[in-house]
Amino acid sequence: MSTERTILVTGGAGFIGANFIRHRLATVPGERIVILDALTYAGNRANLDGCDAARIEFIHGDIRDTALVEMLLRDHRIATIVHFAAESHVDRSITGPDAFLDANVIGTHSLLKAARSVWLAGSGLPHRFQHVSTDEVYGSLGPTDPPFAESHPYQPNSPYSASKAASDHLVRAYHHTFHLDVTTTNCSNNYGPYQFPEKLIPLMLVNCLHGKPLPIYGDGMNVRDWLHVDDHCRGVSLALDKGRVGEVYNIGGENERPNIEIVQKITAAIDAAFASDTTLAVRFPNSPASQGKPCWSLVTYVKDRPGHDRRYAIDPRKAQSELGYRPHETFESGLAKTVAWYLANESWWRAVMDGSYRNWIETNYGAR
Ligand code: NAD
Ligand code: TYD
């Protein structure tokens, strides 16, 4: 597909947004992308390094600034918003919920207001608001419950998932009441390049390299349905280009795993990397793997997360049948690529972990 259009991507300096921009630049020739990002602790301009500067424009700003969003839509003749910007980490939503209400609820509403005023004025322009959300809005599954279909009731349990649920409802309401053309995708846990090392997979990877404890919440048997970020981006793109207006699509890889298995696979991958590349022991002398010892020895069971959801799982059949969605990565191939990326991009994760993240984690959990 080739296009001359310009789209607005919010949160494009974050983990999934930056991967989505790379995906669109590679797959939609000619498309230009205006990126609106407030550069919170989770947003990083370096996540966009190497992207074709002629096709992207970065705007440092807040989605709550409705006048700014209206101006961008008008000035760049934008009729498509892909909305990733959010506060996204459950643990932070427990220690400080207000920021989640501000960004996820007020922020999403601000975008909807801007889209309505610019796109629906007069006779109305063809347009699309693609809202990116999470499976966490559906709550927690029992061990034998079927995976989340789009019709599953909303039962959010954390301030993060409650704020995302509220944003999903606002998107739905703007479609129903004002006829804004929307699609929503609800995806399972992502992993891959540029993920901030506070989420399970990159945190465990980086702690293995530093020789720091690997904190397992509770019994480590909470189950998540893991999807490589490229496959999520492919799903969002399909929903944007082929999704039916007003519809919701659940995106996942049918890849349920308990946390402890994820950590076991990461530690084994790091052990194997050190065994085959002797320079790693020089670069990361504090890792047990540098002494030929297993990184698994770093596993430490810690107090459980309050309200910790037990199991998430996605039923992706609607996205498969309507959008032709299929993940390309297996968990094994995706994890191997991710481990290789973090080993090759030490300067990236060291830089993003400096500063506010360290302060937050030490204030709330003590030094890890
Ligand atoms: P992230 O935390 O890595 O990035 C969020 C980005 O949004 C950052 O660049 C940040 O600077 C920006 N941002 C935050 N508040 C803003 C504001 N008020 N104005 C402008 N920009 C702002 O998040 P992520 O993991 O990339 O998640 C992106 C989206 O995908 C979120 O909506 C999240 O709920 C959803 N999602 C994430 C996952 C996952 O596993 N990470 C899974 C399903 C859905
Ligand atoms: P996380 O990456 O925070 O994603 P989410 O809470 O949105 O699913 O956590 C994934 C799982 O890993 C979740 O069950 C909590 C658990 N976890 C730990 O056991 N230890 C940790 O240090 C972190 C960050 C998460």
Side-chain angles (χ1 to χ4, degrees), residues 73 77-79 118-128 179-181:
L73 298 182
R77 297 176 182 280
I78 291 171
V118 175
W119 293 343
L120 298 183
S123 57
L125 300 166
H127 61 267
R128 179 63 65 89
H179 309 296
L180 195 72
D181 286 357

Side-chain angles (χ1 to χ4, degrees), residues 7 21 47 262 318 359:
I7 67 172
I21 288 163
N47 294 3
I262 300 295
K318 181 177 174 187
N359 297 338

Side-chain angles (χ1 to χ4, degrees), residues 10-18 36-44 47 61-64 83-89 102-104 107 131-136 160 164 185-191 194-196 198-199 226 232:
T10 72
F15 162 49
I16 305 173
L36 177 60
D37 197 296
L39 295 180
T40 68
Y41 79 96
N44 197 325
N47 294 3
D62 199 304
I63 55 170
R64 289 171 297 169
H83 175 34
F84 292 94
E87 286 292 333
S88 69
H89 189 36
D102 287 343
N104 302 357
H131 177 56
V132 179
S133 193
T134 167
D135 61 356
E136 304 193 24
Y160 164 64
K164 290 297 291 186
T185 48
N186 293 81
C187 188
S188 55
N189 285 64
N190 285 210
Y191 67 96
Y194 303 105
Q195 188 169 32
F196 198 90
E198 63 181 352
K199 306 279 169 64
W226 293 94
H232 183 191

Side-chain angles (χ1 to χ4, degrees), residues 74-121:
R74 287 202 176 95
D75 288 359
H76 294 270
R77 297 176 182 280
I78 291 171
T80 304
I81 296 176
V82 189
H83 175 34
F84 292 94
E87 286 292 333
S88 69
H89 189 36
V90 173
D91 289 334
R92 286 177 189 261
S93 82
I94 295 167
T95 53
D98 296 66
F100 288 70
L101 277 284
D102 287 343
N104 302 357
V105 185
I106 306 299
T108 301
H109 189 230
S110 164
L111 291 173
L112 290 165
K113 283 192 295 182
R116 181 186 170 206
S117 74
V118 175
W119 293 343
L120 298 183

Side-chain angles (χ1 to χ4, degrees), residues 1-4 27-31:
M1 192 178 73
S2 175
T3 178
E4 294 299 310
T27 56
V28 189
E31 185 170 81

Side-chain angles (χ1 to χ4, degrees), residues 258-280:
N259 293 337
I260 201 72
E261 182 186 332
I262 300 295
V263 176
Q264 188 275 328
K265 287 192 181 306
I266 293 169
T267 57
I270 297 287
D271 292 347
F274 275 67
S276 65
D277 178 354
T278 51
T279 65
L280 292 176

